[in-house]
Amino acid sequence: MEDQIKKAKHFVFLASSVILIVFIIFSFTALLNNPKYLIYGITHINPLLYLIAIVILILGYSLGFIKWLLLIRGYNIKLSLLNHFLLYFSMYSMELSPGRWGRAISTYLLSKKYHIKHAYLFPIIVADIFTDFSGFVVVAVFSSLFIKRYVIASITIAIILLIPLFIFTNRKLYSFVKRKLLKIKNEKARYYIFKFLKNGDLYFQGHSLLKKRKYLLSLTFTIPAELLKALSLYFIILAMGFNVNNLYIIVLFMYASSTLIGALSGIPGGIGVSDFILIGYLSTFLAIPYVYAVIINILFRALVLWLIPILGLLVLVITSRRI
């Protein structure tokens, strides 16, 4: 377990370093355009409004804890409410992993404590990730419908992102693949096939505890969480001195759409992709000058890509000692 924690620390450090390089590039570009505006913008942000944005964002991530309790119910995992929360939040230490699959660190800790095969618990992470995706997909599509922009593009990206959900949750598809694999006669191949199928059987055994209604109920917590994250961006824009009263729906679209496109890119955290999209939206929809759009992006993405993973890592270290 100590090795896994050490790997998580190294990963967060590496990911944070990459993000820092990306942000330096953005800042340097803005600095070339007009250094006075960049320095002025950073030094004149309203600290109270920015603090409110931080609190709202953490609340947005914490709201998913209710979803975690819903998903894990039925697995006979007996922990105190505090330990459940710590276990839940520790998965954000791996938020920058490809596809967010590193969140499985939480179920890995559970599998070690209860001596349960990880494949049996892994459906919890699959459900958590895809209900998160579903949440900002719903928000992105409905906000695009409301502002009547990029509707077809939003729906198309949404469908592409949700295809893996069908693959990971379709037992009939797995049974079909299983039958085909069992027909392979090569002895070396069959060793790996049996290993794969053993984990696959355990996975779908665990997945059987996640009824469709749990997925649907999870959205009732995921969507409000996404609304709060967008509200955090809204307050950062206010903190920079821009009046966006009655424009929350626009900010909601900008947040959800940039997150959606970043997820489609497959790049951890949507680094670079989500940033360029969000900066473009800030300039296009709210007529915010490019330099200030860059600053707003940095202030928001610093919370999402630095603060949350670092908090998650601290909680992971605490959790590994408590559980």
Side-chain angles (χ1 to χ4, degrees), residues 32 69 78 141 174-175 208 211 213 217:
L32 287 177
L69 292 177
K78 296 179 180 179
V141 171
Y174 170 71
S175 298
S208 65
K211 307 297 181 183
R213 60 185 176 83
L217 283 172

Side-chain angles (χ1 to χ4, degrees), residues 119-250:
Y120 181 74
L121 297 173
F122 190 62
I124 298 170
I125 298 301
V126 173
D128 181 77
I129 291 172
F130 283 110
T131 48
D132 269 7
F133 280 164
S134 300
F136 63 70
V137 159
V138 170
V139 169
V141 171
F142 276 91
S143 59
S144 64
L145 284 169
F146 189 87
I147 68 171
K148 300 176 181 178
R149 299 284 295 273
Y150 308 115
V151 176
I152 301 300
S154 297
I155 294 173
T156 303
I157 295 172
I159 292 171
I160 294 171
L161 283 176
L162 293 178
I163 286 174
L165 177 62
F166 170 79
I167 296 172
F168 276 98
T169 60
N170 194 305
R171 185 151 198 157
K172 289 182 179 179
L173 178 62
Y174 170 71
S175 298
F176 172 78
V177 173
K178 182 177 180 179
R179 287 195 300 271
K180 294 296 181 183
L181 289 175
L182 288 173
K183 291 179 181 179
I184 297 174
K185 302 300 182 183
N186 184 283
E187 288 300 322
K188 289 184 179 180
R190 285 177 71 83
Y191 169 78
Y192 294 103
I193 288 170
F194 283 128
K195 196 170 183 179
F196 167 76
L197 294 178
K198 182 181 178 181
N199 285 317
D201 290 343
L202 279 170
Y203 172 84
F204 276 99
Q205 185 183 346
H207 186 265
S208 65
L209 299 173
L210 299 173
K211 307 297 181 183
K212 288 182 180 179
R213 60 185 176 83
K214 282 192 176 184
Y215 278 91
L216 293 174
L217 283 172
S218 294
L219 284 176
T220 63
F221 303 107
T222 303
I223 293 173
E226 296 304 317
L227 297 178
L228 283 172
K229 292 171 189 177
L231 187 61
S232 174
L233 175 60
Y234 179 84
F235 270 92
I236 290 174
I237 297 171
L238 288 177
M240 284 296 297
F242 293 98
N243 186 0
V244 286
N245 292 336
N246 303 317
L247 294 176
Y248 171 71
I249 190 66
I250 302 292

